[in-house]
Amino acid sequence: MHKGFYTLKWEGDSVSFIDQRKLPVEEIYVSCRTYKEVAEAIETMVVRGAPAIGVSAAYGIALGLIKSTDTEIYKYEAGFKEICDIIGATRPTAVNLFWAIERMKKAFAEIRGRTSSVSEISAHMLSEAHSIYDEDINVNKAIGRAGSSLVKSGMNILTHCNAGALCAAGYGTALGVVRAAFEQGKKIHVFADETRPFLQGARLTMWELMKDGIDCTLLSDNMSGYMMSKGKIDVIVVGADRIAANGDAANKIGTYSVAVLAKHHNIPMYFAAPLSTVDINCPSGGHIPIEERNLDEVRVINGKSICPPDAKAVNPSFDVTPNSLISGIITEKGIIYPPFESGIKSLFSGGDL
Ligand code: MRU
């Protein structure tokens, strides 16, 4: 599937994460023994990427319940609410976080209706977290299969940020499409935008593609327009953090610029994401909360200031690509083409595409 690493893993009484802040220089794992440590790992981007954040949240909640010292059910229930609140306050944009918390709340309500035993409830909640983990891998593989039909042998694929095995329980969304095409024996090549300021493309996408032997080349963020103008890019595939009901899609900052350039050069651009990334209650992109991160992510690289230390800066971590710039949304149920609103509605009401 992907070689020699895991993004996150349940370890019996802790959750272990590869520290994505340190890659590719150091491959080290961080062990979180409490739900607060899991919350901190999400907030500080030890683990990142929309599906991985959701799966981590589910394990964080299970961990918090298993370690709860409340034997009295009403205190245990109040503790559950607090755990959900603290984990839910970590990052605002990726809707998979809230999707996972809602799913864990539903599982809690369901088991609570059958028992008042805190140990039984904790066991049930851990098993729900395991299901979320397993499903995420299967969903990513299904996205890969669906999207691989768009990728022909000989194509050059541009991606932005990291939507790979590192952004999920495994396999990846946009890179799931790449992986599936590669596994089918297609001869493909990936251009990875470096993705300032956190450098997910340079540090993470290049690392995991190179580990799997998938041909790839790094671009700095300001090069993609030139590469498109020279006919070097055939298709663009990126991930998403939240897709509104009308198909507007939030993804890593810089995605919108790539989409505008792609439109100008008539290059198809696809967003690959599980249905857990679609926020059916969010009518359009303007309603998606955009995380603002610490300004030193922009001003400092590798501990060294790249501007006067008190320089003004901004750091919106995501932007929204309007549906008019999106060629299709690749999901585990197939590819949604414009008009997105009806396709999304159909999938959410149990229909087909
Ligand atoms: O800030 P990050 O690294 O969590 O942002 C990640 C992205 O924007 C990814 O492209 C997105 O989560 C899609 S990953 C399936």
Side-chain angles (χ1 to χ4, degrees):
M1 182 171 70
H2 48 79
K3 292 187 191 124
F5 70 95
Y6 60 83
T7 306
L8 70 151
K9 192 155 118 191
W10 177 256
E11 300 273 23
D13 65 348
S14 62
V15 191
S16 162
F17 298 96
I18 194 164
D19 191 338
Q20 299 197 31
R21 301 166 306 180
K22 303 273 166 61
L23 287 171
V25 178
E26 287 177 88
E27 290 180 32
I28 55 168
Y29 289 84
V30 170
S31 178
C32 294
R33 305 193 162 276
T34 65
Y35 80 88
K36 284 193 176 159
E37 287 177 6
V38 173
E40 195 183 334
I42 297 172
E43 193 164 357
T44 58
M45 295 184 44
V46 168
V47 61
R48 35 63 54 201
I53 292 172
V55 178
S56 305
Y59 274 136
I61 291 169
L63 184 64
L65 290 174
I66 283 167
K67 297 256 169 124
S68 167
T69 50
D70 294 321
T71 46
E72 208 250 285
I73 185 68
Y74 296 105
K75 280 198 188 144
Y76 177 85
E77 266 177 332
F80 170 63
K81 190 182 171 310
E82 192 182 332
I83 294 167
C84 291
D85 288 349
I86 286 177
I87 290 182
T90 49
R91 297 195 68 192
T93 304
V95 77
N96 306 61
L97 173 67
F98 309 102
W99 172 89
I101 292 171
E102 275 317 303
R103 183 154 156 186
M104 293 298 275
K105 282 185 175 168
K106 217 166 140 202
F108 191 99
E110 194 244 311
I111 184 74
R112 179 69 185 94
R114 290 193 270 129
T115 183
S116 299
S117 153
V118 299
S119 59
E120 270 180 50
I121 298 174
S122 294
H124 180 78
M125 295 298 282
L126 176 59
S127 127
E128 186 70 2
H130 284 322
S131 300
I132 290 174
Y133 179 98
D134 293 341
E135 282 168 29
D136 187 61
I137 295 178
N138 290 332
V139 158
N140 285 329
K141 288 187 171 168
I143 290 171
R145 279 193 299 275
S148 63
S149 61
L150 302 164
V151 179
K152 310 276 173 271
S153 209
M155 273 189 165
N156 287 292
I157 306 159
L158 174 69
T159 192
H160 189 78
C161 193
N162 173 268
L166 287 165
C167 87
Y171 207 71
T173 56
L175 295 193
V177 172
V178 167
R179 264 193 183 96
F182 181 74
E183 286 163 7
Q184 290 159 7
K186 292 175 185 165
K187 199 177 165 314
I188 50 168
H189 170 261
V190 178
F191 284 110
D193 279 345
E194 66 172 346
T195 320
R196 276 277 288 149
F198 207 70
L199 304 176
Q200 290 95 329
R203 296 190 302 103
L204 308 177
T205 296
M206 289 300 290
W207 180 77
E208 65 166 89
L209 289 178
M210 287 171 74
K211 246 185 172 359
D212 272 5
I214 300 175
D215 191 19
C216 54
T217 303
L218 177 63
L219 301 179
S220 67
D221 288 340
N222 48 2
M223 293 176 184
S224 54
Y226 173 81
M227 297 301 279
M228 289 183 209
S229 75
K230 293 290 176 194
K232 304 267 189 211
I233 313 277
D234 300 301
V235 64
I236 300 160
V237 188
V238 296
D241 291 86
R242 191 184 297 227
I243 298 174
N246 71 346
D248 292 349
N251 190 47
K252 180 53 54 192
I253 191 75
T255 304
Y256 171 52
S257 320
V258 171
V260 172
L261 285 164
K263 189 76 167 180
H264 181 75
H265 292 97
N266 213 13
I267 297 168
M269 176 154 181
Y270 294 91
F271 283 67
L275 288 176
S276 53
T277 300
V278 177
D279 184 354
I280 197 74
N281 299 315
C282 177
S284 63
H287 295 84
I288 299 176
I290 300 295
E291 177 180 13
E292 297 278 342
R293 293 189 65 84
N294 191 302
L295 302 183
D296 280 344
E297 286 182 359
V298 176
R299 294 190 287 223
V300 178
I301 295 183
N302 280 343
K304 291 223 163 67
S305 200
I306 56 158
C307 59
D310 52 355
K312 284 203 243 175
V314 291
N315 192 11
S317 198
F318 301 93
D319 56 29
V320 173
T321 300
N323 57 15
S324 57
L325 300 180
I326 299 176
S327 309
I329 299 172
I330 308 165
T331 75
E332 66 272 32
K333 299 268 186 213
I335 305 170
I336 313 175
Y337 289 101
F340 295 112
E341 193 140 13
S342 50
I344 289 174
K345 213 177 200 169
S346 161
L347 286 184
F348 271 78
S349 49
D352 281 331
L353 287 171

